[in-house]
Amino acid sequence: GENVEQHPSTLSVQEGDSAVIKCTYSDSASNYFPWYKQELGKRPQLIIDIRSNVGEKKDQRIAVTLNKTAKHFSLHITETQPEDSAVYFCAALPGGSNYKLTFGKGTLLTVNP
Amino acid sequence: DAGVIQSPRHEVTEMGQEVTLRCKPISGHNSLFWYRQTMMRGLELLIYFNNNVPIDDSGMPEDRFSAKMPNASFSTLKIQPSEPRDSAVYFCASSRTVRTYTDTQYFGPGTRLTVL
């Protein structure tokens, strides 16, 4: 089955700096890669996603890049703010499944004022 | 729209007791998912319903776990008997269709279960 590795597990940055979180996946047929943000005690919320026919997607201060050859994708947050502090999860949808997302273990991002 | 609703938000019980978690999906969503989140294993899919029918329960850890969806607006996850290793946050999620590729899974606020 699909395996998703996420790094780093914790990340601390200064307000205004950029943050990058990386994920690798094992199933070359995976075709959909969402990123979820989970604030402490809250529900995971989709913040951005990318499909396998696209190499990069941007939404204001967040962007995701996908390298299908290397089987990795990354979340980029620019001009970080304290409210960006949360746990971020990447996920991959295997090519043989309509719904069974495989999640990474999460990255705790702390943005220091 | 209120989003996915779960109850209770917190549950503390003793080993051996029955626990029932409840979920109300977003109106009009045909697919419902139950996930478990732990530090060790992260987010894991337990069971998936489509149009109220259980389609994939391969993630249900053992016979102590059962789930039902009697109608389009209500689902339950039951643990009987509960064990300390069941302590986790249980999320319910729903989506408009089964195709996660095109239809986002929206998560509920979760139920934090502690089994003593």
Side-chain angles (χ1 to χ4, degrees):
Chain A
E2 175 67 282
N3 183 48
V4 175
E5 299 283 342
Q6 184 172 346
H7 299 279
S9 56
T10 61
L11 179 60
S12 181
V13 300
Q14 290 299 121
E15 183 177 358
D17 288 351
S18 294
V20 181
I21 303 170
K22 299 180 180 179
C23 290
T24 61
Y25 59 98
S26 59
D27 183 351
S28 58
S30 289
N31 57 14
Y32 174 68
F33 307 90
W35 285 89
Y36 284 84
K37 175 183 179 182
Q38 186 177 22
E39 297 177 22
L40 185 64
K42 302 287 183 63
R43 71 189 76 193
Q45 291 192 297
L46 179 73
I47 56 170
I48 196 168
D49 56 12
I50 191 167
R51 292 171 177 83
S52 57
N53 59 345
V54 175
E56 183 174 359
K57 184 176 178 180
K58 190 173 182 180
D59 182 3
Q60 299 183 355
R61 294 187 298 107
I62 60 173
V64 57
T65 59
L66 171 65
N67 184 326
K68 288 189 293 183
T69 302
K71 291 189 285 187
H72 69 71
F73 56 111
S74 300
L75 178 71
H76 304 253
I77 306 174
T78 59
E79 301 172 23
T80 54
Q81 302 167 2
E83 51 265 38
D84 294 329
S85 297
V87 177
Y88 291 81
F89 293 93
C90 64
L93 183 68
S97 175
N98 273 329
Y99 57 88
K100 202 160 188 174
L101 290 170
T102 299
F103 287 85
K105 291 289 179 63
T107 296
L108 173 61
L109 173 64
T110 303
V111 180
N112 301 300
Chain B
D1 194 330
V4 177
I5 299 172
Q6 290 186 247
S7 64
R9 294 294 311 277
H10 302 273
E11 177 80 32
V12 180
T13 190
E14 293 191 345
M15 183 174 63
Q17 297 297 306
E18 177 180 296
V19 175
T20 300
L21 312 181
R22 298 172 177 80
C23 174
K24 177 179 169 54
I26 294 172
S27 177
H29 283 195
N30 295 331
S31 295
L32 183 138
F33 309 84
W34 281 101
Y35 287 90
R36 179 171 66 177
Q37 184 179 45
T38 61
M39 289 295 293
M40 289 297 294
R41 300 173 68 90
L43 266 166
E44 302 174 283
L45 179 65
L46 299 178
I47 188 168
Y48 155 63
F49 291 85
N50 188 45
N51 292 322
N52 314 337
V53 177
I55 302 299
D56 180 358
D57 65 355
S58 60
M60 296 287 262
E62 48 198 275
D63 292 345
R64 296 184 298 106
F65 286 69
S66 62
K68 294 182 180 180
M69 192 166 185
N71 57 62
S73 59
F74 184 65
S75 177
T76 59
L77 178 67
K78 185 178 293 186
I79 308 173
Q80 166 63 19
S82 57
E83 297 182 3
R85 61 194 168 114
D86 301 330
S87 297
V89 180
Y90 292 82
F91 288 101
C92 176
S94 71
S95 62
R96 193 174 61 84
T97 74
V98 66
R99 298 197 71 230
T100 299
Y101 183 84
T102 53
D103 293 310
T104 302
Q105 294 184 23
Y106 292 90
F107 283 77
T111 295
R112 181 174 295 277
L113 173 65
T114 303
V115 183
L116 303 175

